[in-house]
Amino acid sequence: MNIFILNIALAVAWAALTGDITLTGLAVGFALGSAALFVTKPLFPGCDRYFKRVWRWVKLGVLFLYELVVSSVQVIWDVLTPAHKARPGIISVSLEADDEMEILLVTNLISLTPGTLSLDVTEDRKTLYIHAMFADDPDAIRAQIRTGMARWVREAME
């Protein structure tokens, strides 16, 4: 049985029983369903994998929000201060992802982050071209993407 579907069913059941069929009611039901499934892990084979995967997706979301705030502050600071430190440039980043979903998620997360924009992926899906607002050190940006966004997405997709 798919544990995620069971968790959704528990969330809907909670919302129906409480009469609070709103996004908040479903979220509370989902959290309570997750807690109930966590307590009853021995009854469901494969439940450990589900919780590891959920943890990885939550971690990806939190780390992306952190990157979003840091890059937003950096862009805002550069716009509001008289001394502009922006040195835009186009950088190629090698990709280790094989799956198209991984590449799509990495490119979208990069584009959603202020100061960077995904431009193109080569036909062999091994190189990503990005435009960076602060491209003073291309090697540092490549390393940051490989060890940051790309690695977090790869972990979440496992």
Side-chain angles (χ1 to χ4, degrees):
M1 174 177 240
N2 191 338
I3 304 299
F4 180 69
I5 300 297
L6 181 59
N7 203 357
I8 296 285
L10 289 171
V12 170
W14 173 263
L17 286 172
T18 60
D20 185 24
I21 304 180
T22 61
L23 188 58
T24 305
L26 289 170
V28 169
F30 192 81
L32 290 173
S34 294
L37 288 171
F38 187 78
V39 170
T40 59
K41 272 196 305 189
L43 300 175
F44 301 102
C47 199
D48 284 334
R49 183 172 181 255
Y50 170 73
F51 284 109
K52 285 180 185 174
R53 198 161 198 201
V54 167
W55 169 248
R56 289 178 185 149
W57 279 100
V58 168
K59 180 180 163 187
L60 174 64
V62 169
L63 292 172
F64 171 70
L65 288 176
Y66 173 77
E67 288 289 326
L68 184 69
V69 169
V70 167
S71 61
S72 296
V73 168
Q74 187 179 20
V75 170
I76 289 170
W77 184 260
D78 191 58
V79 169
L80 294 178
T81 57
H84 297 291
K85 296 184 181 189
R87 300 289 179 261
I90 295 176
I91 301 169
S92 65
V93 179
S94 62
L95 294 173
E96 296 175 11
D98 295 323
D99 187 23
E100 287 184 7
M101 265 319 266
E102 284 183 44
I103 295 171
L104 176 68
L105 190 55
V106 168
T107 56
N108 283 330
L109 290 176
I110 288 171
S111 291
L112 286 172
T113 307
T116 56
L117 178 68
S118 299
L119 298 175
D120 195 15
V121 177
T122 58
E123 289 290 326
D124 62 356
R125 300 185 312 200
K126 296 294 180 193
T127 306
L128 167 67
Y129 291 101
I130 65 164
H131 177 274
M133 187 173 167
F134 302 98
D136 294 339
D137 189 2
D139 292 329
I141 294 172
R142 285 184 193 102
Q144 182 181 8
I145 289 174
R146 270 191 239 116
T147 61
M149 213 69 84
R151 191 186 86 214
W152 302 334
V153 168
R154 224 178 12 261
E155 287 176 2
M157 299 292 279
E158 287 178 349

